Amino acid sequence: MTIRSRTLLCASALAIISSGINTAHAQDDNIKIGVLLPTTGGCATAGTRALEGHSAYVSALNTDGGLLGRQVETVHRDSQCNPSVATAAARDLVTKDGVDVLIGGVSSSEALAISEVAKQEGVVYMAGIPKTVQLTNEDNLHPYVFRAADNTNTEAKSAAIIADRLGWDSVCTILLDYSYGHDLGEAFVEHFAALRPDAAITNQVWPAANTDDYSPFISQLLASDCEGVFSGVWAGVFPNFAKQASAFGFFDRFEFISAGALGSAKFLETMGDEMPRGIWGNALEVWYYPNTDGHKAYLDAIAAEIDERPDAFHSTGWVAMQFIADAIKNAGSTDPDAISAALKGLTIDSISGPLTIRESDQQANRGIFWGQIADSDIDGYDAPIMSNVEYIPADEIMD
Amino acid sequence: MLTNPMFLSMTILNGISIGMVIFVIAAGLTLILGVLRVLNFAHGAFFMLGGYVGWQVAEVWLDGVPGALWIAAIAAGLVLAVLALIIERTMLKHLYGREEYYQLLFTFALVLLINDAVKVIWGTDILTIAHPDSLRGAMDLGITFYPKYRLFLCAVGIVVAVLLWLLVSKTRWGRLTRAARMDREMLSALGVRVSLVYASVFVLGAMLAGIGGALAAADRSLYPGMDADIIVRTFIVVIIGGLGSLWGAFLGALILGLITAFGTVLVPEFELVLIYLMMIAILMFRPWGLLGREEAR
Amino acid sequence: MSPAIEARNAALVAIGAAAIFAAIPMFFGDFAVYLGAEILIYILFALAFNLMLGQGGLVSFGHAAYFAISGYALAILLTTYSWPFWPAFIAAIVLAGIAALVIGYFCIRLTAIYFAMLTLAFSQLVWAIAFKWDDVTGGDEGFIGVAVPVWLVEPSSFYYFALGTVLVAGTLLWVITHSAFGRVLRATKENPQRAEFLGLNVRRVRLVTFVISGTFTGIAGALFTLFNRSVFVESAWWTKSAEVLIMSILGGVGSFFGPALGAAVLILLDRAITEFTQYWPTVLGIILILVLFFLPDGLIGLFRRKRAEDGDELGDADPAPSRTPAE
């Protein structure tokens, strides 16, 4: 035998041995939750916090004795905000680690990728952050995909409600040129036209998702005749846009409502003085509102886990895991079909009140908090906050 | 919309300022390419690192100090210069003369290492440097108004171009770099330490990227991985300008900036592919770029 | 080593490796099957890529383009247009070859760094089109739910299909490498001027190589679509091109089987290391630098060096890249 053939044989042997070893440690009694959240890549900020929120819930759960008398174990893989990576990692979690449930995803593409694996492998997948309506539309819905997050309809249509209240008669939009932006735009235009039939959409600009210089879009809007701007420039890219737009006097000229979690606490702390005041932003959770016991318990649990003030994204990991935990409890087993059946129609007592997963399309009726960015009026807290926070429920607007 | 003179002049300025930021990166890249024959994939990462160093100085160490940004830019340039010197002396110099994919892969390894280092040191949250007080807001130019800081960035691009041109065409160092480009063996036979000429070019290129990164960071935001987008556009600028050509890079950057600015207005659906189509069109007629020369190889 | 012995040895390697790969589904679960399939696909990708780099000395930094084009084409033909499997599979591969012909036509006019940069720019164009054309490609959400034929749905049946395809394609690449054309190609790499003198049309040889390489990359891309039953725009992003270059150099570009070894090792390392740390890029960066400085012939060089010490003759590979001192 030649040396080269030996090399290949060695390599193949190595492959087999390593995979053999890796499959071996998958047997024990814990309930395994496979978590696919990016801790690197373009959406790591959201992913890291969702993972912390998830871990906080699991810690609390295990302290109370776990689920079905078994401990809950989290197996995390970094999905890198990349659907190809998410696909491979999801498969690994199911086939190698033997997880009972998949949770996670930040971008739409990650969610759709994980959902595809969930369908192939027959494992329940709960999306905690992804909002794309494509995930649960007729083409892509299957018995194992669920959403705990708000969807793009809820987010865009609640923005349209605010735009209507502000009395906008001519509107421009600046939405990112990918599915999140397109879905937002479609829902906003539709709902705004229903609310204010005489209002006009004057101009729509579509910067690419990875734009680093927004000036061509800013000047187009400045040259347009509109009262207000609806934006989908989400928190991950907003600092860039805000800085460039402020220098053009953009926020003095227009009223501005933006989707994309601009009201998240950590984001506002990072932006500080650079955050334009008076614009409308949203968040899935606001640490100083509402003042309920459920919310306070959540804040304490997060504080125990991370030792700092929670961000809105922490709540996504928490709520997603709460749905899964309650479903496993109700199902009395970790059989995927039993969990799936238990999730349909399930109502949980969440941090922002009761939330229900609809049987028809397997989405939670999660609403969203809106508010106007203002200087802090909370003692000892300097960063900007959302003022006049209001929870807009999803039931009427999520379709 | 373009018939509106205010909007037209704003769009032209947008194009120039987009181009000038890329030029500052492309200038160093093309210089290194021309003299060292090394395609430096890490040049975008140098730019990013410059931004982060600038942030550390301007927003943490000298927060609130007037003129912090200027000190930050100098610091970023120096840090990158030292880093580049270490990289060149300990590793890169051993790869000259090897097949080009060795250098390509080496600089790609630097991209990976720098990105992870940035993640470890500064985390994954988005960071921004505030505009300096003196350049906040917009300036009235008569026909239109325009953000002062972006006008400043245009000026930086032009100053860099002129200084580099003077350096390369009027100084002894410049003559040596041009000679090293033509005939390395001859130069070293004449007793010139070519190795040091190479090192100085690499250091200068990295320093420019560092300064550019810090100055640009005040008009955009910083995040790990931001280099992956910018490096491809920088390559395009260098390709259409002609590899190794300073004014080619300047021209290429202006074209890219203006196409981005006008393409966004005129053909928004195709803006993303427009720059690639333009590049192909140019290369059909001038395979070696607008101001490049055919290489005998 | 005589060509006959060389062919015999290569056949032994291929048969040995194939036997091991074929045994995986019999002894291990789905996880090993998925991992094995992924390795097989990347082995083909790396072999196809290395025809250009190792044999032709052409550094393509845009091979993700052909991988993605055929991947998307197969997904679209199977799902959107409901084509039968074989016509769709072949059409997708041919399309990758045509794309390589068009892009190659522009690129082969340039050499070395210019060539690498232009291939990169073209692959980014492909990425931009895939991203923007979302009615057809699914844009950033990707093309989900590819209508894979029923006989390929089981992980193990796809696995054997992939194994067979990679074996056939790999054999063809080996034959091409060792044919008269392969010798001509090496001549254009070692001394293009002399090759021109001898009446060879260097550009045409390079263009043909480009097309062959792109076509075989297309086979890998089509397999990847069947594997994932989805295609994502990330397949066309330039880091994918970097990945295959890394695999080839890690394994050793001077040898036919080097890139295959590199692909297998890189994927296994990636999986093993990302389980423990999110800093896989750092580990990879360090590995790359070590290989560049200490293993210029790649991992496969470890074995060859040992053989040279034992007094054996050298293998089929080209000698290590020449080193000219910088000063």
Side-chain angles (χ1 to χ4, degrees):
Chain A
M1 190 182 283
T2 65
I3 307 269
R4 238 169 299 114
S5 49
R6 268 213 302 270
T7 315
L8 261 185
L9 286 177
C10 290
S12 325
L14 194 89
I16 293 166
I17 292 163
S18 68
S19 47
I21 291 169
N22 284 336
T23 30
H25 66 67
Q27 281 96 32
D28 47 51
D29 193 43
N30 290 347
I31 291 180
K32 290 197 169 157
I33 310 293
V35 178
L36 291 148
L37 285 167
T39 50
T40 60
C43 23
T45 313
T48 310
R49 295 192 173 126
L51 179 61
E52 287 167 353
H54 167 87
S55 305
Y57 192 89
V58 170
S59 305
L61 201 60
N62 282 335
T63 314
D64 289 349
L67 281 174
L68 313 178
R70 294 154 71 186
Q71 288 287 291
V72 178
E73 179 187 341
T74 298
V75 191
H76 169 252
R77 287 280 193 295
D78 181 4
S79 55
Q80 298 176 20
C81 215
N82 175 332
S84 305
V85 176
T87 300
R91 272 188 178 144
D92 278 9
L93 285 173
V94 175
T95 57
K96 178 169 143 272
D97 300 287
V99 300
D100 298 294
V101 175
L102 292 170
I103 295 186
V106 170
S107 68
S108 311
S109 54
E110 278 182 316
L112 288 159
I114 300 169
S115 171
E116 180 66 23
V117 175
K119 186 167 86 180
Q120 289 169 22
E121 302 289 339
V123 173
V124 167
Y125 163 49
M126 175 63 77
I129 297 178
K131 299 182 186 220
T132 176
V133 287
Q134 315 292 332
L135 186 64
T136 50
N137 70 8
E138 291 158 17
D139 293 340
N140 296 325
L141 188 68
H142 58 83
Y144 302 111
V145 61
F146 295 85
R147 186 208 313 274
D150 58 326
N151 67 21
T152 39
N153 284 338
T154 303
E155 192 174 27
K157 290 181 179 182
S158 52
I161 292 172
I162 294 172
D164 176 43
R165 281 189 211 152
L166 292 173
W168 290 0
D169 286 316
S170 53
V171 183
C172 291
T173 69
I174 176 166
L175 296 155
L176 300 180
D177 191 10
Y178 68 134
S179 51
Y180 176 58
H182 293 289
D183 291 348
L184 283 176
E186 213 170 288
F188 179 87
V189 169
E190 180 203 311
H191 201 60
F192 190 63
L195 294 169
R196 289 181 89 76
D198 296 331
I201 304 289
T202 314
N203 194 4
Q204 295 196 280
V205 295
W206 303 92
N210 59 354
T211 301
D212 54 15
D213 197 320
Y214 287 89
S215 60
F217 305 96
I218 295 165
S219 29
Q220 275 186 80
L221 292 180
L222 288 172
S224 307
D225 188 21
C226 41
E227 284 171 55
V229 176
F230 171 58
S231 141
V233 182
W234 72 289
V237 290
F238 187 77
N240 219 332
F241 169 76
K243 176 173 276 181
Q244 289 159 5
S246 298
F248 276 94
F250 183 91
F251 296 107
D252 303 329
R253 160 94 187 271
F254 299 113
E255 289 190 302
F256 190 83
I257 302 174
S258 186
L262 299 193
S264 300
K266 283 290 162 198
F267 171 73
L268 290 173
E269 284 170 17
T270 312
M271 286 293 282
D273 293 340
E274 299 280 320
M275 188 70 191
R277 304 301 200 264
I279 65 172
W280 274 261
N282 67 35
L284 274 174
E285 186 269 347
V286 184
W287 60 275
Y288 46 86
Y289 182 90
N291 215 348
T292 60
D293 289 344
H295 192 209
K296 265 188 236 145
Y298 159 77
L299 293 175
D300 291 343
I302 297 288
E305 179 80 16
I306 60 163
D307 200 28
E308 59 179 311
R309 185 171 286 113
D311 180 71
F313 280 109
H314 286 112
S315 75
T316 62
W318 177 280
V319 171
M321 186 57 213
Q322 191 181 355
F323 270 116
I324 292 294
D326 283 15
I328 291 177
K329 238 180 274 171
N330 292 352
S333 102
T334 54
D335 173 62
D337 293 304
I339 300 176
S340 168
L343 275 170
K344 288 179 192 165
L346 175 67
T347 298
I348 62 164
D349 183 19
S350 91
I351 54 173
S352 49
L355 285 181
T356 303
I357 287 186
R358 303 199 296 194
E359 279 199 71
S360 56
D361 60 359
Q362 298 165 208
Q363 309 186 63
N365 61 341
R366 192 159 188 197
I368 193 161
F369 295 92
W370 283 91
Q372 205 172 0
I373 307 299
D375 289 331
S376 167
D377 56 4
I378 300 166
D379 279 342
Y381 188 73
D382 296 331
I385 58 164
M386 284 209 295
S387 64
N388 307 319
V389 178
E390 174 192 6
Y391 181 76
I392 299 187
D395 302 87
E396 307 288 318
I397 50 176
M398 63 190 283
D399 291 302
Chain B
M1 224 189 239
L2 285 171
T3 48
N4 173 348
M6 185 189 102
F7 180 66
L8 178 64
S9 42
M10 209 182 252
T11 302
I12 293 171
L13 286 170
N14 288 341
I16 296 173
S17 51
I18 292 171
M20 284 305 100
V21 171
I22 293 191
F23 168 71
V24 176
I25 320 171
L29 186 72
T30 207
L31 195 68
I32 294 173
L33 255 172
V35 181
L36 275 66
R37 309 257 139 218
V38 168
L39 178 56
N40 184 16
F41 245 91
H43 221 69
F46 287 174
F47 175 79
M48 171 176 74
L49 193 57
Y52 274 98
V53 172
W55 180 85
Q56 185 70 31
V57 174
E59 294 290 316
V60 181
W61 291 337
L62 299 180
D63 190 22
V65 175
L69 181 62
W70 316 128
I71 300 168
I74 294 167
L78 288 177
V79 168
L80 264 295
V82 171
L83 182 71
L85 187 68
I86 295 170
I87 291 170
E88 203 275 345
R89 289 288 90 184
T90 58
M91 292 179 276
L92 185 60
K93 77 166 181 180
H94 302 293
L95 296 176
Y96 298 144
R98 300 268 292 269
E99 312 249 339
E100 51 271 353
Y101 58 81
Y102 279 88
Q103 300 134 9
L104 204 113
L105 215 55
F106 172 70
T107 57
F108 185 75
L110 292 179
V111 172
L112 298 174
L113 294 172
I114 292 174
N115 261 296
D116 266 4
V118 162
K119 236 177 285 174
V120 171
I121 302 172
W122 289 285
T124 50
D125 279 358
I126 291 168
L127 305 176
T128 83
I129 303 180
H131 282 147
D133 288 335
S134 50
L135 295 174
R136 263 183 194 280
M139 183 189 257
D140 192 352
L141 299 173
I143 188 167
T144 183
F145 64 93
Y146 205 71
K148 289 180 197 162
Y149 196 78
R150 296 182 70 92
L151 292 171
F152 163 73
L153 287 178
C154 294
V156 169
I158 294 164
V159 168
V160 165
V162 172
L163 284 182
L164 273 183
W165 174 71
L166 288 174
L167 197 61
V168 171
S169 61
K170 305 286 180 210
T171 65
R172 178 179 138 77
W173 179 83
R175 281 194 298 279
L176 286 178
T177 62
R178 275 178 296 148
R181 207 176 149 169
M182 304 287 175
D183 194 337
R184 182 162 62 194
E185 283 75 22
M186 175 68 86
L187 202 59
S188 73
L190 290 173
V192 176
R193 295 187 63 187
V194 183
S195 161
L196 288 184
V197 176
Y198 275 31
S200 62
V201 168
F202 192 71
V203 166
L204 179 68
M207 201 168 81
L208 272 177
I211 295 172
L215 292 177
D219 202 51
R220 45 183 72 190
S221 51
L222 296 164
Y223 52 93
M226 63 185 275
D227 56 319
D229 293 321
I230 211 136
I231 192 70
V232 176
R233 267 173 293 157
T234 311
F235 279 0
I236 291 172
V237 161
V238 170
I239 294 174
I240 59 180
L243 276 76
S245 163
L246 177 67
W247 291 112
F250 191 80
L251 194 59
L254 274 183
I255 292 175
L256 181 118
L258 289 169
I259 284 201
T260 307
F262 280 91
T264 305
V265 179
L266 297 173
V267 281
E269 274 297 296
F270 298 101
E271 192 260 320
L272 202 57
V273 295
L274 211 57
I275 46 174
Y276 299 108
L277 293 178
M278 170 216 46
M279 179 195 72
I280 294 165
I282 288 175
L283 291 175
M284 276 177 77
F285 299 103
R286 292 195 64 89
W288 308 97
L290 290 173
L291 300 181
R293 275 178 311 236
E294 177 155 7
E295 304 273 324
R297 238 192 98 109
Chain C
M1 203 172 350
S2 79
I5 297 176
E6 211 184 310
R8 195 205 64 195
N9 287 347
L12 278 177
V13 174
I15 291 168
I20 292 170
F21 271 106
I24 288 179
M26 297 168 201
F27 297 101
F28 300 100
D30 279 355
F31 168 66
V33 172
Y34 282 134
L35 188 60
E38 194 176 339
I39 290 174
L40 282 170
I41 293 167
Y42 275 96
I43 283 178
L44 178 57
F45 190 7
L47 289 177
F49 171 82
N50 198 47
L51 181 69
M52 279 179 74
L53 179 61
Q55 306 300 323
L58 298 166
V59 186
S60 163
F61 216 87
H63 254 51
Y66 319 106
F67 193 82
I69 284 173
S70 129
Y72 272 114
L74 181 61
I76 292 162
L77 290 175
L78 281 178
T79 316
T80 314
Y81 296 103
S82 309
W83 278 30
F85 176 72
W86 285 107
F89 189 64
I90 291 162
I93 294 162
V94 169
L95 204 67
I98 293 172
L101 178 68
V102 174
I103 295 176
Y105 170 78
F106 289 101
C107 297
I108 46 122
R109 299 195 284 175
L110 305 183
T111 53
I113 302 170
Y114 298 73
F115 178 86
M117 289 172 86
L118 195 54
T119 52
L120 167 67
F122 269 107
S123 80
Q124 288 299 106
L125 174 64
V126 171
W127 173 83
I129 292 171
F131 190 93
K132 281 298 289 186
W133 204 8
D134 58 359
D135 291 345
V136 175
T137 62
D140 64 293
E141 290 187 333
F143 196 110
I144 310 287
V146 175
V148 170
V150 189
W151 56 275
L152 281 178
V153 165
E154 268 301 299
S156 59
S157 49
F158 169 75
Y159 180 83
Y160 285 116
F161 175 73
L163 178 59
T165 311
V166 171
L167 264 182
V168 171
T171 308
L172 285 174
L173 278 169
W174 196 89
V175 169
I176 291 168
T177 304
H178 292 82
S179 67
F181 178 77
R183 281 193 295 280
V184 168
L185 179 58
R186 280 187 293 279
T188 64
K189 172 194 176 186
E190 274 142 29
N191 196 336
Q193 280 87 5
R194 209 175 114 222
E196 287 276 3
F197 260 156
L198 295 174
L200 292 172
N201 186 337
V202 172
R203 279 191 186 176
R204 184 171 302 157
V205 170
R206 287 183 171 161
L207 185 57
V208 171
T209 311
F210 205 116
V211 173
I212 295 172
S213 176
T215 308
F216 280 87
T217 301
I219 300 177
L223 286 177
F224 201 61
T225 292
L226 297 172
F227 175 58
N228 280 336
R229 285 183 251 167
S230 48
V231 194
F232 300 105
V233 72
E234 278 75 6
S235 285
W237 186 246
W238 64 262
T239 46
K240 193 85 165 178
S241 305
E243 222 172 278
V244 73
L245 176 67
I246 290 170
M247 288 170 176
S248 302
I249 293 179
L250 181 65
V253 296
S255 140
F256 181 82
F257 289 108
L261 179 66
V265 170
L266 191 74
I267 290 173
L268 289 175
L269 274 179
D270 182 342
R271 289 304 177 78
I273 291 169
T274 44
E275 270 190 46
F276 303 109
T277 169
Q278 55 167 299
Y279 297 108
W280 158 244
T282 297
V283 177
L284 180 58
I286 292 169
I287 292 174
L288 280 180
I289 290 174
L290 291 177
V291 168
L292 289 176
F293 283 98
F294 301 109
L295 279 179
D297 302 332
L299 290 175
I300 219 153
L302 279 178
F303 294 85
R304 191 159 325 112
R305 194 173 301 168
K306 188 167 174 297
R307 184 160 50 161
E309 281 164 12
D310 295 345
D312 278 0
E313 57 209 316
L314 279 169
D316 64 328
D318 301 316
S322 59
R323 278 179 230 193
T324 41
E327 298 160 50

